[in-house]
Amino acid sequence: MSVPHPPARRRPGHRALRRLPLHTAAAFTVVVCLFPVYWMVTTAFKPSTDIQSYDPRLLPRTWTLDHFRKAVGADGFALFWRNSVLVTLSAVLLALVVALGAAYAVARMRWRGRRQFMLAVFIAQMAPWESLIIPIYIISRDTGMLDRLPTLTLVYFMITLPFTVVVLRGFIAGIPPELEEAAQVDGCTRAGAFRRVAFPLLAPGLMATSLFGFITAWNEFTYANFLIIKQQDNRTLPVWLSSFQSTFGTDWGATMAASTLFALPALVVFLALQRHVTAGLASGGVKG
């Protein structure tokens, strides 16, 4: 009787050769996505003579901070920075508070219309927000809410709320309700059990939705441009950047420096939360 031979193991070199096309495609994608960002940052540090040169270089010959000084010293830079931070953080916090209650009601309670409610949330998430610019503008104009930062905050809250509800619902549904029931047996109220038991387990989901809301509100331009038209003091950084070139003429170095400063907060937030965000999105999608 012949003894079957164990299956032959693949050599490490053969496995690496098979993965070479995937690694090549991944490297190409990274280069294509990051090169514009790299060019923006390096242009911000180049002298004006190198920027206007007909012989472009990947690396600056000399480095300068003059463009950053011009950007920071521009009229209204600090004010528009404050407006963007205020509107973004307010919209994100408001969306988290409202979505947390809605997600808990959908995941833990049984009430008539629950499925229809989630269907409406999904439809709102899939709707193109650009198609709502004119209705929102008309509503804001008729109610006297044009040229006001609270209006922009409510719009960003409306944009980020559906995604926040969907992700947090998946997290709450993935937490065993027996944990909260045990806390209630020990004397906690329903709200106290949620606050002490379930809420700490929602940290990855809260971070994932916070990052999504922050980037969405921080980079948004269309609504800010349409709703904040007359009052210059109520502008946000994206709207200010759109007029930055006309303010400085052909000074592309100052424009790129301002764009680099504008991108830094979103980059810092992403780097600080990326580990939790990856786990949050994966867990929320599987458990939901």
Side-chain angles (χ1 to χ4, degrees):
M1 182 177 180
S2 60
V3 179
H5 296 283
R9 295 183 179 179
R10 295 180 179 177
R11 297 179 181 179
H14 181 68
R15 183 180 302 175
L17 185 62
R18 292 190 61 182
R19 293 182 178 179
L20 181 60
L22 296 177
H23 294 166
T24 303
F28 177 77
T29 303
V30 170
V31 171
V32 170
C33 293
L34 292 184
F35 183 77
V37 180
Y38 167 80
W39 195 258
M40 176 188 71
V41 175
T42 55
T43 303
F45 288 98
K46 290 179 181 179
S48 298
T49 55
D50 291 352
I51 296 175
Q52 300 173 359
S53 174
Y54 290 99
D55 184 20
R57 293 176 175 269
L58 291 178
L59 290 175
R61 298 178 183 178
T62 57
W63 300 79
T64 180
L65 296 176
D66 293 340
H67 302 310
F68 288 93
R69 297 189 185 98
K70 289 183 179 180
V72 175
D75 294 337
F77 177 78
L79 177 62
F80 300 145
W81 186 280
R82 186 206 66 181
N83 292 343
S84 291
V85 172
L86 181 63
V87 170
T88 301
L89 294 183
S90 300
V92 171
L93 292 177
L94 186 60
L96 286 178
V97 172
V98 175
L100 191 60
Y104 182 83
V106 173
R108 285 287 189 264
M109 301 178 182
R110 298 294 179 265
W111 41 278
R112 180 179 298 179
R114 184 169 59 94
R115 293 184 178 180
Q116 290 77 3
F117 172 80
M118 285 305 302
L119 179 61
V121 171
F122 279 110
I123 293 175
Q125 175 65 26
M126 293 184 295
W129 295 108
E130 291 78 7
S131 62
L132 302 179
I133 293 177
I134 295 178
I136 291 179
Y137 174 82
I138 294 176
I139 294 173
S140 302
R141 182 197 61 188
D142 294 343
T143 56
M145 292 295 292
L146 280 179
D147 303 322
R148 295 186 180 182
L149 290 179
T151 306
L152 201 58
T153 302
L154 292 177
V155 171
Y156 293 163
F157 158 74
M158 177 185 65
I159 293 176
T160 57
L161 183 61
F163 176 83
T164 308
V165 172
V166 172
V167 174
L168 292 183
R169 170 193 171 271
F171 267 90
I172 296 177
I175 299 175
E178 292 78 11
L179 298 178
E180 299 177 52
E181 294 173 359
Q184 294 180 22
V185 171
D186 291 337
C188 289
T189 61
R190 188 165 192 172
F194 174 78
R195 186 177 68 254
R196 292 180 173 86
V197 177
F199 185 76
L201 300 177
L202 296 176
L206 294 174
M207 292 182 182
T209 53
S210 298
L211 178 62
F212 169 80
F214 183 89
I215 294 178
T216 301
W218 183 261
N219 294 331
E220 205 283 323
F221 168 78
T222 306
Y223 281 98
N225 189 41
F226 273 85
L227 298 179
I228 307 296
I229 299 176
K230 299 179 182 179
Q231 296 293 333
Q232 299 291 329
D233 293 342
N234 289 335
R235 287 189 172 186
T236 55
L237 280 177
V239 180
W240 175 71
L241 280 176
S242 67
S243 60
F244 197 77
Q245 182 181 354
S246 61
T247 303
F248 284 90
T250 57
D251 194 348
W252 288 103
T255 304
M256 294 298 102
S259 302
T260 302
L261 294 175
F262 172 72
L264 279 179
L267 178 62
V268 171
V269 172
F270 174 78
L271 293 178
L273 302 180
Q274 61 174 341
R275 182 179 304 176
H276 302 285
V277 167
T278 304
L281 291 177
S283 300
V286 172
K287 294 176 183 178

